[in-house]
Amino acid sequence: MSSLGSARLVYGTMLGSLFLFLVPSLLSLGLPSSLPASPETHTLLSSNALRTPASFDTLHTVSRHVFRHTNRIRRKRSLSTLRYDSTLARVACAHNADMMRRDFFRHVNPDGENPHDRVSRIHRRLYGQIGENLFGQSPVRKEGKALATQMMEHWMNSPPHRKNIIRPQFTHLGVCVLQQTDTLRATQVFADVSVYLSSPLPRRVSAGDVISVSIGPTFPSDALPVRYDFWSTEGNRRISTPYVFTDALRFPDTTGTVWSRFYVLEMGRYSVQRGPEVMITSP
């Protein structure tokens, strides 16, 4: 575990099946506002995991400074700037609130969910790879821009956190900072997005359903989703052969929770990109 004074740090990167993390630290929660809009505009379904408890203060100003500071660091290294994603920020907020409520501090929650699991469950349009940085402090010694600067300095002085911040492949970022009395928690959720759907994928479908799907932005713009399959979360295995993608997803004739996955062609090579989690029920 990285430890600097009273601040503790945690990082995580989800790349394919690789998930790296350090032991827990403290967190904070805040949903940035008045930032550039992302393609993600749908309203999330209400759930306890997405509500900020009334006793928590969301530090919007700190979140904005963290987002902007991250992009300043990337620009100085001639890297592409990250797009603000409101749903990734909500994922960060939900995880922070969950950690505060259930008194844990790590990337994997008590239910066994890791960062990519949370994004697949909450984000209904994103196909790609996920990374996560965590920060915590108690007592809270700074506020506003000074607090954001302190956070970024700690992350940049920690090699695994810095790797997420300056990873060239990342395209999107959500930031959340939360404070409860004198304890602070902060989370960055990064995404290397390959494909955005034009509209959210449903959370539930019936076995054998065919769902029309329209592709929105791709990163890079010429990336092409050519095939798709489904992965069982319960069995941890692929449950369908790859089908040719023709503007629709045909769900398996089975029940259970699955991830949809696209086989994306880019520069002559294929990558398999995980997308939203869907519950398949009996017809």
Side-chain angles (χ1 to χ4, degrees):
M1 174 173 62
S2 298
S3 178
L4 296 170
S6 60
R8 291 185 291 167
L9 313 174
V10 174
Y11 79 98
T13 303
M14 178 68 72
L15 299 172
S17 61
L18 178 62
F19 178 54
L20 305 174
F21 62 92
L22 295 180
V23 291
S25 97
L26 306 177
L27 303 175
S28 92
L29 167 64
L31 183 61
S33 59
S34 301
L35 293 173
S38 78
E40 183 59 31
T41 59
H42 72 277
T43 301
L44 294 174
L45 296 180
S46 176
S47 74
N48 289 334
L50 296 179
R51 296 192 190 107
T52 302
S55 60
F56 295 172
D57 293 323
T58 53
L59 306 185
H60 301 289
T61 299
V62 179
S63 299
R64 288 196 295 269
H65 285 311
V66 168
F67 178 83
R68 291 166 179 161
H69 196 156
T70 298
N71 274 335
R72 283 198 297 272
I73 289 170
R74 292 177 66 89
R75 281 194 294 269
K76 287 180 179 179
R77 288 164 171 76
S78 298
L79 299 172
S80 61
T81 55
L82 302 174
R83 296 166 174 83
Y84 170 67
D85 188 288
S86 61
T87 307
L88 291 179
R90 294 187 186 191
V91 173
C93 289
H95 186 51
N96 286 343
D98 187 28
M99 287 189 288
M100 298 285 274
R101 187 169 52 244
R102 293 201 278 178
D103 193 25
F104 72 96
F105 186 75
R106 56 185 182 273
H107 296 291
V108 180
N109 70 19
D111 301 321
E113 272 193 337
N114 63 43
H116 213 157
D117 295 333
R118 290 188 287 276
V119 172
S120 293
R121 176 170 54 84
I122 296 172
H123 208 308
R124 311 310 302 164
R125 296 175 60 196
L126 183 155
Y127 287 77
Q129 307 296 326
I130 303 301
E132 182 178 84
N133 283 348
L134 305 180
F135 174 93
Q137 187 176 67
S138 183
V140 181
R141 303 181 184 279
K142 298 179 184 292
E143 60 184 23
K145 188 174 182 179
L147 175 59
T149 299
Q150 180 190 41
M151 257 181 239
M152 293 302 301
E153 288 176 349
H154 283 317
W155 278 329
M156 289 301 291
N157 286 329
S158 167
H161 295 84
R162 182 171 64 248
K163 185 176 180 179
N164 275 342
I165 291 169
I166 64 174
R167 180 175 172 79
Q169 292 83 0
F170 282 141
T171 57
H172 293 69
L173 172 63
V175 183
C176 198
V177 183
L178 177 74
Q179 184 171 348
Q180 184 179 41
T181 61
D182 206 22
T183 297
L184 180 138
R185 304 288 185 265
T187 297
Q188 291 179 303
V189 179
F190 301 86
D192 173 6
V193 178
S194 288
V195 174
Y196 261 104
L197 302 184
S198 295
S199 58
L201 202 63
R203 294 176 182 275
R204 290 177 178 269
V205 301
S206 295
D209 274 356
V210 178
I211 305 297
S212 296
V213 170
S214 176
I215 300 300
T218 62
F219 303 89
S221 60
D222 59 353
L224 182 64
V226 295
R227 293 182 181 272
Y228 69 94
D229 68 11
F230 298 98
W231 186 274
S232 169
T233 63
E234 290 95 344
N236 195 30
R237 61 185 177 86
R238 193 175 69 181
I239 59 171
S240 71
T241 59
Y243 303 108
V244 174
F245 176 66
T246 55
D247 299 326
L249 300 181
R250 180 182 294 275
F251 284 82
D253 291 314
T254 185
T255 59
T257 304
V258 300
W259 299 317
S260 56
R261 306 193 308 173
F262 273 129
Y263 292 65
V264 181
L265 180 61
E266 177 190 341
M267 298 180 65
R269 301 181 63 181
Y270 287 97
S271 63
V272 181
Q273 303 295 340
R274 172 174 156 185
E277 175 184 290
V278 178
M279 171 67 75
I280 304 176
T281 60
S282 298

